[in-house]
Amino acid sequence: MREIQKTLRLQGGDTGQDFRLTKLDAFSGAFLLRLLARLPETPEAASVLASLPEEELRRLMTACLEHCEVLLPAGWMPVMTRGEWTWPDIAHDAAACLKLTLEEVLWTLEGFFSGGGSASRKENPASRR
């Protein structure tokens, strides 16, 4: 079964906070791939964030943060829902929001660009002669 969730801990001050990421759904993932395809080269993910126009960065961050949850004493709570902050503690923490966005992008694309061709393609024995 495909893993679509992972947890990570972001350090802040003397303590840290646990987050759960869910891979982007197909529509958000396609949007992410279209953003990457428009770039002249495939730079590191952090420089992708720096190179995006403000509106695209906002759209990408919103899509990513809507797939993040924070662990609170009462349980998991979404960071953002329908473009609105549902966990206001992070609303003014740009570093944490950018880190979560970057982690979400990397988690969603993990394995997408790996390998060198289809794993299902079999070599033709006649081609080795």
Side-chain angles (χ1 to χ4, degrees):
M1 185 168 178
R2 176 179 291 169
E3 286 187 55
I4 62 167
Q5 291 186 323
K6 79 171 190 173
T7 58
L8 67 105
R9 185 167 191 80
L10 291 185
Q11 295 301 326
D14 295 336
T15 63
Q17 188 69 51
D18 290 324
F19 292 90
R20 181 167 60 189
L21 307 179
T22 301
K23 286 191 178 191
L24 293 176
D25 59 80
F27 295 112
S28 299
F31 165 71
L32 173 61
L33 289 173
R34 288 180 59 198
L35 279 179
L36 294 175
R38 286 198 330 252
L39 297 174
E41 297 177 14
T42 307
E44 294 181 8
S47 50
V48 168
L49 298 181
S51 67
L52 291 175
E54 183 178 344
E55 186 57 36
E56 287 181 336
L57 178 61
R58 175 181 287 274
R59 187 170 170 203
L60 177 63
M61 288 180 70
T62 299
C64 289
L65 293 172
E66 287 179 345
H67 286 80
C68 295
E69 298 171 296
V70 60
L71 183 58
L72 299 176
W76 292 103
M77 177 179 178
V79 169
M80 183 173 261
T81 303
R82 294 186 207 148
E84 299 292 327
W85 298 107
T86 50
W87 185 50
D89 291 7
I90 201 169
H92 299 283
D93 190 345
C97 289
L98 287 168
K99 175 71 173 163
L100 286 171
T101 299
L102 181 60
E103 290 289 338
E104 181 66 37
V105 166
L106 294 173
W107 172 238
T108 295
L109 296 179
E110 181 180 84
F112 188 79
F113 294 108
S114 66
S118 172
S120 64
R121 183 169 42 178
K122 304 212 187 269
E123 182 179 315
N124 182 353
S127 67
R128 285 191 277 172
R129 292 183 198 165

